Coordinates of all heavy atoms in Angstrom, one line a residue:
M264 N -42.5 -84.5 -25.5 CA -42.4 -83.1 -26.0 C -42.0 -82.2 -24.8 O -42.5 -82.2 -23.8 CB -43.8 -82.7 -26.5 CG -43.8 -81.3 -27.1 SD -45.4 -80.8 -27.7 CE -46.0 -82.2 -28.6
S265 N -41.0 -81.3 -25.1 CA -40.5 -80.4 -24.1 C -41.3 -79.1 -24.1 O -41.6 -78.6 -25.1 CB -39.1 -80.1 -24.4 OG -38.6 -79.1 -23.6
H266 N -41.6 -78.7 -22.9 CA -42.3 -77.4 -22.8 C -41.4 -76.3 -22.2 O -41.9 -75.4 -21.6 CB -43.6 -77.5 -21.9 CG -44.6 -78.4 -22.5 ND1 -45.1 -78.2 -23.8 CD2 -45.2 -79.5 -22.1 CE1 -46.0 -79.2 -24.1 NE2 -46.0 -80.0 -23.1
V267 N -40.1 -76.6 -22.3 CA -39.1 -75.7 -21.7 C -38.7 -74.7 -22.8 O -38.3 -75.0 -23.8 CB -37.9 -76.5 -21.2 CG1 -36.9 -75.5 -20.6 CG2 -38.3 -77.5 -20.2
P268 N -38.8 -73.4 -22.4 CA -38.3 -72.4 -23.4 C -36.8 -72.5 -23.6 O -36.1 -72.8 -22.7 CB -38.7 -71.0 -22.7 CG -39.5 -71.3 -21.5 CD -39.3 -72.8 -21.2
H269 N -36.4 -72.4 -24.8 CA -35.0 -72.6 -25.2 C -34.4 -71.2 -25.4 O -34.0 -70.8 -26.5 CB -34.9 -73.4 -26.5 CG -35.3 -74.8 -26.3 ND1 -34.3 -75.8 -26.1 CD2 -36.5 -75.4 -26.3 CE1 -35.0 -77.0 -26.0 NE2 -36.3 -76.7 -26.1
E270 N -34.3 -70.4 -24.3 CA -33.8 -69.0 -24.4 C -32.3 -69.1 -24.7 O -31.6 -70.1 -24.3 CB -34.0 -68.3 -23.2 CG -35.5 -68.1 -22.8 CD -36.3 -67.3 -23.9 OE1 -35.6 -66.4 -24.6 OE2 -37.5 -67.5 -24.0
L271 N -31.7 -68.1 -25.4 CA -30.3 -68.2 -25.8 C -29.4 -68.3 -24.6 O -28.4 -69.0 -24.7 CB -30.0 -67.0 -26.7 CG -30.5 -67.0 -28.1 CD1 -30.2 -65.7 -28.8 CD2 -29.9 -68.2 -28.9
H272 N -29.7 -67.6 -23.5 CA -28.8 -67.6 -22.4 C -28.8 -69.0 -21.7 O -27.8 -69.4 -21.1 CB -29.1 -66.5 -21.4 CG -30.4 -66.7 -20.7 ND1 -31.6 -66.3 -21.3 CD2 -30.8 -67.3 -19.5 CE1 -32.6 -66.6 -20.5 NE2 -32.1 -67.2 -19.4
E273 N -29.8 -69.8 -21.9 CA -29.9 -71.2 -21.4 C -29.2 -72.1 -22.4 O -28.7 -73.1 -22.0 CB -31.4 -71.6 -21.2 CG -32.1 -70.8 -20.1 CD -33.6 -71.0 -20.2 OE1 -34.1 -71.5 -21.1 OE2 -34.2 -70.6 -19.2
E274 N -29.3 -71.8 -23.7 CA -28.7 -72.7 -24.7 C -27.2 -72.5 -24.7 O -26.5 -73.5 -25.1 CB -29.3 -72.3 -26.1 CG -30.7 -72.6 -26.3 CD -31.0 -74.1 -26.2 OE1 -30.3 -74.9 -26.9 OE2 -32.0 -74.5 -25.5
F275 N -26.7 -71.3 -24.3 CA -25.3 -71.1 -24.3 C -24.9 -70.6 -22.9 O -24.5 -69.4 -22.7 CB -24.9 -70.0 -25.4 CG -25.3 -70.4 -26.8 CD1 -26.4 -70.0 -27.4 CD2 -24.4 -71.3 -27.5 CE1 -26.7 -70.3 -28.7 CE2 -24.8 -71.7 -28.7 CZ -25.9 -71.2 -29.4
P276 N -24.9 -71.5 -21.9 CA -24.5 -71.1 -20.6 C -23.1 -70.6 -20.5 O -22.2 -71.1 -21.2 CB -24.7 -72.4 -19.7 CG -24.7 -73.5 -20.7 CD -25.2 -72.9 -22.0
G277 N -22.9 -69.6 -19.7 CA -21.5 -69.0 -19.6 C -21.2 -68.1 -20.7 O -20.1 -67.5 -20.8
K278 N -22.1 -67.8 -21.7 CA -21.8 -66.9 -22.8 C -22.7 -65.7 -22.7 O -22.8 -65.0 -23.7 CB -22.1 -67.7 -24.1 CG -21.3 -68.9 -24.4 CD -19.9 -68.5 -24.9 CE -19.1 -69.7 -25.3 NZ -17.8 -69.4 -25.8
A279 N -23.2 -65.3 -21.6 CA -24.1 -64.2 -21.5 C -23.4 -62.9 -21.9 O -24.0 -62.1 -22.6 CB -24.6 -64.0 -20.0
D280 N -22.1 -62.7 -21.5 CA -21.4 -61.5 -21.9 C -21.2 -61.4 -23.4 O -21.4 -60.4 -24.0 CB -20.1 -61.4 -21.1 CG -20.3 -61.1 -19.6 OD1 -21.4 -60.7 -19.2 OD2 -19.3 -61.4 -18.9
A281 N -20.8 -62.5 -23.9 CA -20.6 -62.6 -25.4 C -21.9 -62.4 -26.2 O -21.9 -61.7 -27.2 CB -19.9 -63.9 -25.8
L282 N -23.0 -63.0 -25.7 CA -24.3 -62.8 -26.3 C -24.6 -61.3 -26.3 O -25.1 -60.7 -27.3 CB -25.4 -63.6 -25.6 CG -25.4 -65.1 -25.9 CD1 -26.3 -65.8 -24.8 CD2 -25.8 -65.4 -27.3
H283 N -24.5 -60.7 -25.2 CA -24.8 -59.2 -25.0 C -23.9 -58.4 -26.0 O -24.4 -57.5 -26.7 CB -24.7 -58.8 -23.6 CG -25.0 -57.3 -23.4 ND1 -26.3 -56.8 -23.5 CD2 -24.2 -56.3 -23.2 CE1 -26.3 -55.5 -23.3 NE2 -25.0 -55.2 -23.1
A284 N -22.6 -58.7 -25.9 CA -21.7 -57.9 -26.8 C -22.1 -58.0 -28.3 O -22.1 -57.0 -29.0 CB -20.3 -58.3 -26.5
L285 N -22.4 -59.2 -28.7 CA -22.7 -59.5 -30.1 C -24.0 -58.8 -30.5 O -24.2 -58.3 -31.5 CB -22.7 -61.0 -30.4 CG -21.3 -61.6 -30.6 CD1 -21.4 -63.1 -30.6 CD2 -20.7 -61.1 -31.9
K286 N -25.0 -58.9 -29.5 CA -26.3 -58.3 -29.8 C -26.2 -56.8 -30.0 O -26.9 -56.2 -30.8 CB -27.3 -58.6 -28.7 CG -27.9 -60.0 -28.7 CD -28.9 -60.1 -27.6 CE -29.3 -61.5 -27.4 NZ -30.3 -61.7 -26.2
T287 N -25.3 -56.2 -29.2 CA -25.2 -54.7 -29.3 C -24.2 -54.2 -30.3 O -24.3 -53.1 -30.8 CB -24.8 -54.1 -27.9 OG1 -23.6 -54.7 -27.5 CG2 -25.9 -54.4 -26.9
G288 N -23.3 -55.1 -30.7 CA -22.2 -54.7 -31.6 C -22.2 -55.3 -33.0 O -21.4 -54.9 -33.9
N289 N -23.2 -56.2 -33.3 CA -23.2 -56.9 -34.6 C -24.6 -57.0 -35.0 O -25.4 -57.7 -34.5 CB -22.6 -58.3 -34.4 CG -22.5 -59.1 -35.7 OD1 -23.4 -59.0 -36.5 ND2 -21.5 -59.9 -35.8
A290 N -25.0 -56.1 -36.0 CA -26.3 -56.1 -36.5 C -26.9 -57.4 -37.0 O -28.0 -57.8 -36.8 CB -26.5 -55.0 -37.6
H291 N -26.0 -58.2 -37.7 CA -26.4 -59.5 -38.2 C -26.7 -60.4 -37.1 O -27.7 -61.1 -37.1 CB -25.3 -60.1 -39.1 CG -25.6 -61.4 -39.6 ND1 -26.7 -61.7 -40.5 CD2 -25.0 -62.6 -39.4 CE1 -26.7 -63.0 -40.8 NE2 -25.7 -63.6 -40.1
F292 N -25.9 -60.4 -36.1 CA -26.1 -61.3 -34.9 C -27.4 -60.9 -34.2 O -28.2 -61.7 -33.8 CB -25.0 -61.2 -33.9 CG -25.1 -62.2 -32.7 CD1 -24.7 -63.5 -32.8 CD2 -25.8 -61.7 -31.6 CE1 -24.8 -64.3 -31.7 CE2 -26.0 -62.6 -30.5 CZ -25.5 -63.9 -30.6
A293 N -27.6 -59.6 -34.1 CA -28.8 -59.1 -33.4 C -30.1 -59.5 -34.2 O -31.1 -59.9 -33.6 CB -28.8 -57.5 -33.3
K294 N -30.0 -59.5 -35.5 CA -31.2 -59.9 -36.3 C -31.4 -61.4 -36.1 O -32.5 -61.9 -36.0 CB -30.9 -59.6 -37.8 CG -32.0 -60.0 -38.7 CD -31.7 -59.6 -40.2 CE -32.8 -60.0 -41.1 NZ -32.8 -61.4 -41.5
L295 N -30.3 -62.2 -36.1 CA -30.5 -63.7 -35.9 C -31.1 -63.9 -34.5 O -31.9 -64.8 -34.3 CB -29.1 -64.4 -36.0 CG -28.5 -64.5 -37.4 CD1 -27.1 -65.1 -37.3 CD2 -29.4 -65.4 -38.3
A296 N -30.6 -63.2 -33.5 CA -31.1 -63.4 -32.1 C -32.5 -63.1 -32.0 O -33.3 -63.8 -31.4 CB -30.2 -62.6 -31.2
D297 N -33.0 -62.0 -32.7 CA -34.4 -61.6 -32.7 C -35.2 -62.6 -33.4 O -36.3 -63.0 -32.9 CB -34.6 -60.2 -33.4 CG -34.1 -59.1 -32.5 OD1 -33.8 -59.3 -31.3 OD2 -33.9 -58.0 -33.1
E298 N -34.7 -63.2 -34.5 CA -35.5 -64.2 -35.3 C -35.6 -65.5 -34.4 O -36.7 -66.1 -34.3 CB -34.8 -64.6 -36.6 CG -34.9 -63.5 -37.7 CD -34.2 -63.9 -38.9 OE1 -34.3 -65.1 -39.3 OE2 -33.5 -63.1 -39.5
Y299 N -34.5 -65.8 -33.8 CA -34.5 -67.0 -32.9 C -35.5 -66.8 -31.8 O -36.3 -67.7 -31.5 CB -33.1 -67.2 -32.3 CG -33.0 -68.4 -31.3 CD1 -32.7 -69.7 -31.8 CD2 -33.4 -68.2 -30.0 CE1 -32.7 -70.7 -30.9 CE2 -33.4 -69.3 -29.1 CZ -33.0 -70.6 -29.6 OH -33.0 -71.6 -28.7
H300 N -35.5 -65.6 -31.2 CA -36.5 -65.4 -30.1 C -37.9 -65.5 -30.6 O -38.8 -66.1 -29.9 CB -36.2 -64.0 -29.5 CG -37.1 -63.6 -28.4 ND1 -37.1 -64.2 -27.1 CD2 -38.2 -62.7 -28.3 CE1 -38.1 -63.7 -26.4 NE2 -38.7 -62.8 -27.1
E301 N -38.2 -65.0 -31.7 CA -39.6 -65.0 -32.3 C -40.0 -66.4 -32.6 O -41.1 -66.9 -32.2 CB -39.7 -64.2 -33.5 CG -39.6 -62.7 -33.3 CD -39.7 -61.9 -34.6 OE1 -40.2 -62.4 -35.6 OE2 -39.1 -60.8 -34.6
V302 N -39.1 -67.2 -33.2 CA -39.4 -68.6 -33.5 C -39.6 -69.4 -32.3 O -40.5 -70.2 -32.1 CB -38.4 -69.2 -34.5 CG1 -38.5 -70.7 -34.6 CG2 -38.4 -68.5 -35.8
N303 N -38.7 -69.2 -31.3 CA -38.7 -69.9 -30.1 C -40.0 -69.7 -29.3 O -40.6 -70.6 -28.7 CB -37.5 -69.6 -29.2 CG -37.3 -70.4 -28.0 OD1 -37.4 -71.6 -28.1 ND2 -37.2 -69.8 -26.9
R304 N -40.4 -68.4 -29.3 CA -41.6 -68.0 -28.6 C -42.8 -68.7 -29.2 O -43.7 -69.2 -28.5 CB -41.8 -66.5 -28.6 CG -43.0 -66.0 -27.8 CD -43.1 -64.5 -27.8 NE -42.6 -64.0 -29.0 CZ -42.1 -62.7 -29.2 NH1 -42.1 -61.9 -28.2 NH2 -41.7 -62.3 -30.3
E305 N -42.9 -68.8 -30.5 CA -44.0 -69.4 -31.2 C -44.0 -70.9 -30.9 O -45.1 -71.5 -30.7 CB -43.9 -69.1 -32.7 CG -45.1 -69.7 -33.5 CD -46.4 -69.1 -33.1 OE1 -46.5 -67.9 -32.5 OE2 -47.5 -69.7 -33.3
I306 N -42.8 -71.5 -30.9 CA -42.8 -73.0 -30.6 C -43.3 -73.2 -29.2 O -44.1 -74.1 -28.9 CB -41.3 -73.5 -30.7 CG1 -40.9 -73.5 -32.2 CG2 -41.2 -74.9 -30.1 CD1 -39.4 -73.8 -32.4
H307 N -42.9 -72.4 -28.3 CA -43.3 -72.5 -26.9 C -44.9 -72.3 -26.8 O -45.5 -73.1 -26.1 CB -42.6 -71.5 -26.0 CG -42.9 -71.7 -24.5 ND1 -42.5 -72.8 -23.8 CD2 -43.6 -70.9 -23.7 CE1 -42.9 -72.7 -22.6 NE2 -43.6 -71.6 -22.4
R308 N -45.4 -71.4 -27.5 CA -46.8 -71.2 -27.5 C -47.6 -72.4 -28.0 O -48.6 -72.8 -27.5 CB -47.2 -69.9 -28.3 CG -46.8 -68.6 -27.6 CD -47.1 -67.4 -28.5 NE -48.4 -67.3 -29.1 CZ -49.5 -66.9 -28.4 NH1 -49.4 -66.5 -27.2 NH2 -50.7 -66.9 -29.0
I309 N -47.0 -73.0 -29.1 CA -47.7 -74.2 -29.7 C -47.6 -75.4 -28.7 O -48.5 -76.1 -28.4 CB -47.0 -74.6 -31.0 CG1 -47.4 -73.5 -32.0 CG2 -47.5 -75.9 -31.5 CD1 -46.5 -73.5 -33.3
E310 N -46.4 -75.6 -28.1 CA -46.2 -76.7 -27.2 C -47.0 -76.6 -25.9 O -47.4 -77.6 -25.4 CB -44.7 -76.8 -26.8 CG -43.8 -77.3 -28.0 CD -42.4 -77.5 -27.6 OE1 -41.9 -76.9 -26.6 OE2 -41.7 -78.3 -28.3
T311 N -47.3 -75.4 -25.5 CA -48.1 -75.2 -24.3 C -49.6 -75.1 -24.6 O -50.4 -74.7 -23.7 CB -47.6 -74.0 -23.5 OG1 -47.6 -72.8 -24.3 CG2 -46.2 -74.3 -22.9
E312 N -49.9 -75.3 -25.9 CA -51.3 -75.3 -26.4 C -51.9 -73.9 -26.2 O -53.2 -73.9 -26.1 CB -52.1 -76.4 -25.7 CG -51.5 -77.8 -26.1 CD -52.2 -78.9 -25.4 OE1 -53.3 -78.7 -24.7 OE2 -51.8 -80.1 -25.7
V313 N -51.1 -72.9 -26.3 CA -51.7 -71.5 -26.3 C -52.1 -71.2 -27.7 O -53.1 -70.5 -28.0 CB -50.7 -70.5 -25.7 CG1 -51.1 -69.1 -25.9 CG2 -50.4 -70.8 -24.3
A314 N -51.3 -71.7 -28.7 CA -51.6 -71.4 -30.1 C -51.7 -72.7 -30.8 O -50.8 -73.6 -30.6 CB -50.4 -70.6 -30.7
P315 N -52.7 -72.9 -31.7 CA -52.8 -74.2 -32.4 C -51.9 -74.2 -33.6 O -51.5 -73.2 -34.2 CB -54.3 -74.1 -32.9 CG -54.5 -72.7 -33.0 CD -53.8 -72.0 -32.0
A316 N -51.4 -75.4 -34.0 CA -50.6 -75.6 -35.1 C -50.5 -77.1 -35.4 O -50.7 -78.0 -34.5 CB -49.2 -75.1 -34.9
S317 N -50.3 -77.4 -36.7 CA -50.2 -78.8 -37.1 C -48.8 -79.3 -36.6 O -47.9 -78.6 -36.4 CB -50.3 -79.0 -38.6 OG -49.2 -78.4 -39.2
D318 N -48.6 -80.6 -36.6 CA -47.3 -81.2 -36.2 C -46.3 -80.8 -37.2 O -45.1 -80.6 -36.9 CB -47.5 -82.8 -36.2 CG -48.3 -83.3 -35.0 OD1 -48.5 -82.5 -34.0 OD2 -48.7 -84.4 -35.0
E319 N -46.7 -80.8 -38.5 CA -45.7 -80.4 -39.6 C -45.2 -79.0 -39.4 O -44.1 -78.7 -39.5 CB -46.4 -80.5 -40.9 CG -46.7 -82.0 -41.3 CD -48.0 -82.5 -40.7 OE1 -48.8 -81.7 -40.2 OE2 -48.2 -83.7 -40.7
A320 N -46.2 -78.1 -39.0 CA -45.8 -76.7 -38.8 C -44.8 -76.5 -37.6 O -43.8 -75.8 -37.7 CB -47.0 -75.8 -38.6
L321 N -45.1 -77.3 -36.6 CA -44.2 -77.3 -35.4 C -42.9 -77.8 -35.7 O -41.8 -77.2 -35.3 CB -44.9 -78.1 -34.3 CG -44.0 -78.2 -33.0 CD1 -43.8 -76.8 -32.4 CD2 -44.8 -79.1 -32.0
E322 N -42.8 -78.9 -36.5 CA -41.5 -79.4 -36.9 C -40.7 -78.5 -37.8 O -39.5 -78.3 -37.6 CB -41.7 -80.8 -37.6 CG -42.1 -81.9 -36.7 CD -41.2 -82.1 -35.5 OE1 -40.0 -82.1 -35.6 OE2 -41.7 -82.2 -34.4
E323 N -41.4 -77.8 -38.6 CA -40.7 -76.7 -39.5 C -40.1 -75.6 -38.6 O -39.0 -75.2 -38.8 CB -41.6 -76.2 -40.6 CG -41.8 -77.1 -41.7 CD -40.5 -77.6 -42.4 OE1 -39.7 -76.7 -42.7 OE2 -40.4 -78.8 -42.6
L324 N -40.9 -75.2 -37.6 CA -40.4 -74.1 -36.7 C -39.2 -74.6 -35.9 O -38.2 -73.9 -35.7 CB -41.5 -73.7 -35.8 CG -42.6 -72.8 -36.4 CD1 -43.8 -72.7 -35.4 CD2 -42.0 -71.4 -36.7
K325 N -39.2 -75.9 -35.5 CA -38.1 -76.4 -34.8 C -36.9 -76.5 -35.6 O -35.7 -76.2 -35.2 CB -38.4 -77.8 -34.2 CG -39.4 -77.7 -33.0 CD -39.7 -79.1 -32.5 CE -40.5 -79.1 -31.2 NZ -40.7 -80.4 -30.7
K326 N -37.0 -76.8 -36.9 CA -35.9 -76.9 -37.8 C -35.3 -75.5 -38.0 O -34.1 -75.3 -38.1 CB -36.3 -77.5 -39.2 CG -36.6 -79.0 -39.1 CD -37.0 -79.5 -40.5 CE -37.4 -80.9 -40.4 NZ -38.0 -81.4 -41.7
T327 N -36.2 -74.5 -38.2 CA -35.8 -73.1 -38.3 C -35.0 -72.7 -37.1 O -33.9 -72.1 -37.2 CB -37.0 -72.2 -38.6 OG1 -37.6 -72.6 -39.8 CG2 -36.5 -70.7 -38.7
R328 N -35.5 -73.0 -35.9 CA -34.8 -72.6 -34.6 C -33.5 -73.3 -34.6 O -32.5 -72.6 -34.2 CB -35.7 -73.1 -33.4 CG -35.0 -72.7 -32.1 CD -35.9 -73.1 -30.9 NE -36.1 -74.5 -30.8 CZ -36.9 -75.0 -29.9 NH1 -37.6 -74.3 -29.0 NH2 -37.1 -76.3 -29.8
L329 N -33.3 -74.5 -35.0 CA -32.0 -75.2 -35.0 C -31.1 -74.5 -35.9 O -29.9 -74.4 -35.6 CB -32.2 -76.7 -35.3 CG -31.0 -77.5 -35.2 CD1 -30.4 -77.5 -33.8 CD2 -31.3 -79.0 -35.5
Q330 N -31.5 -74.2 -37.1 CA -30.7 -73.5 -38.1 C -30.2 -72.2 -37.5 O -29.0 -71.8 -37.7 CB -31.4 -73.3 -39.4 CG -31.6 -74.6 -40.1 CD -32.6 -74.4 -41.3 OE1 -33.3 -73.4 -41.4 NE2 -32.7 -75.4 -42.2
L331 N -31.1 -71.4 -36.9 CA -30.7 -70.1 -36.3 C -29.7 -70.3 -35.2 O -28.7 -69.6 -35.0 CB -31.9 -69.4 -35.8 CG -32.9 -68.8 -36.9 CD1 -34.2 -68.4 -36.3 CD2 -32.2 -67.7 -37.6
K332 N -30.0 -71.4 -34.4 CA -29.0 -71.7 -33.2 C -27.7 -72.0 -33.8 O -26.7 -71.6 -33.2 CB -29.6 -72.8 -32.4 CG -28.8 -73.1 -31.2 CD -29.4 -74.2 -30.4 CE -28.4 -74.7 -29.3 NZ -28.9 -75.9 -28.6
D333 N -27.6 -72.8 -34.8 CA -26.3 -73.1 -35.4 C -25.5 -71.9 -35.9 O -24.3 -71.8 -35.7 CB -26.5 -74.1 -36.6 CG -26.9 -75.5 -36.2 OD1 -26.7 -75.8 -34.9 OD2 -27.3 -76.3 -37.0
Q334 N -26.3 -71.0 -36.5 CA -25.6 -69.7 -37.0 C -25.2 -68.9 -35.8 O -24.1 -68.3 -35.9 CB -26.6 -68.9 -37.9 CG -26.9 -69.6 -39.2 CD -28.0 -68.8 -40.0 OE1 -27.8 -67.6 -40.2 NE2 -29.1 -69.4 -40.3
I335 N -26.0 -68.8 -34.8 CA -25.6 -68.1 -33.6 C -24.4 -68.7 -32.9 O -23.4 -68.0 -32.5 CB -26.8 -68.0 -32.6 CG1 -27.9 -67.1 -33.2 CG2 -26.4 -67.5 -31.2 CD1 -29.2 -67.1 -32.5
A336 N -24.4 -70.0 -32.8 CA -23.2 -70.7 -32.2 C -21.9 -70.5 -33.0 O -20.9 -70.3 -32.4 CB -23.5 -72.2 -32.2
A337 N -22.0 -70.4 -34.3 CA -20.9 -70.2 -35.2 C -20.3 -68.7 -34.9 O -19.1 -68.5 -34.8 CB -21.2 -70.3 -36.6
L338 N -21.2 -67.8 -34.8 CA -20.8 -66.4 -34.5 C -20.2 -66.3 -33.1 O -19.2 -65.5 -32.9 CB -22.0 -65.4 -34.7 CG -22.4 -65.2 -36.2 CD1 -23.7 -64.4 -36.2 CD2 -21.3 -64.5 -36.9
L339 N -20.8 -67.0 -32.1 CA -20.2 -67.0 -30.8 C -18.8 -67.6 -30.8 O -17.9 -67.1 -30.1 CB -21.2 -67.8 -29.8 CG -22.3 -67.0 -29.3 CD1 -23.2 -68.0 -28.5 CD2 -21.9 -65.9 -28.3
A340 N -18.7 -68.7 -31.5 CA -17.3 -69.3 -31.5 C -16.3 -68.4 -32.2 O -15.1 -68.5 -31.8 CB -17.5 -70.7 -32.3
A341 N -16.7 -67.6 -33.1 CA -15.7 -66.8 -33.8 C -15.4 -65.5 -33.0 O -14.5 -64.8 -33.4 CB -16.3 -66.4 -35.2
A342 N -16.3 -65.2 -32.0 CA -16.1 -63.9 -31.3 C -14.9 -64.1 -30.3 O -14.5 -65.1 -29.8 CB -17.4 -63.6 -30.5

């Protein structure tokens, strides 16, 4: 189990400028990025045993994070 936070700038190295531009210029992207951050933070809290959760709940959060990341990647690719 990984205890490494999956921040967007780490997930998309070299895309910091594009991430910032999309966050400030695209409301849909900003909403996705905020959702990703919230889900990612909750996963990290569970993995580091700060917050309790079942294995099933953790897996669902990870699936949600992956779906958000896919959407973010698609918007980055189109930018």
Side-chain angles (χ1 to χ4, degrees):
M264 179 181 316
S265 170
H266 296 303
V267 179
H269 293 262
E270 299 298 331
L271 285 175
H272 67 277
E273 295 168 345
E274 294 293 313
F275 300 101
K278 299 280 188 181
D280 291 339
L282 285 166
H283 179 71
L285 283 167
K286 281 183 192 178
T287 58
N289 182 321
H291 177 64
F292 184 89
K294 182 177 181 283
L295 289 174
D297 287 345
E298 286 180 44
Y299 179 91
H300 180 69
E301 288 177 30
V302 170
N303 187 51
R304 182 177 37 204
E305 186 60 23
I306 290 169
H307 186 67
R308 289 174 51 80
I309 293 166
E310 288 182 337
T311 57
E312 299 180 0
V313 172
S317 67
D318 290 343
E319 294 80 16
L321 178 59
E322 288 307 312
E323 284 303 313
L324 285 169
K325 286 182 176 183
K326 287 177 186 177
T327 299
R328 179 176 66 186
L329 185 57
Q330 291 169 347
L331 290 165
K332 183 180 171 187
D333 287 347
Q334 292 176 55
I335 289 167
L338 289 171
L339 276 172

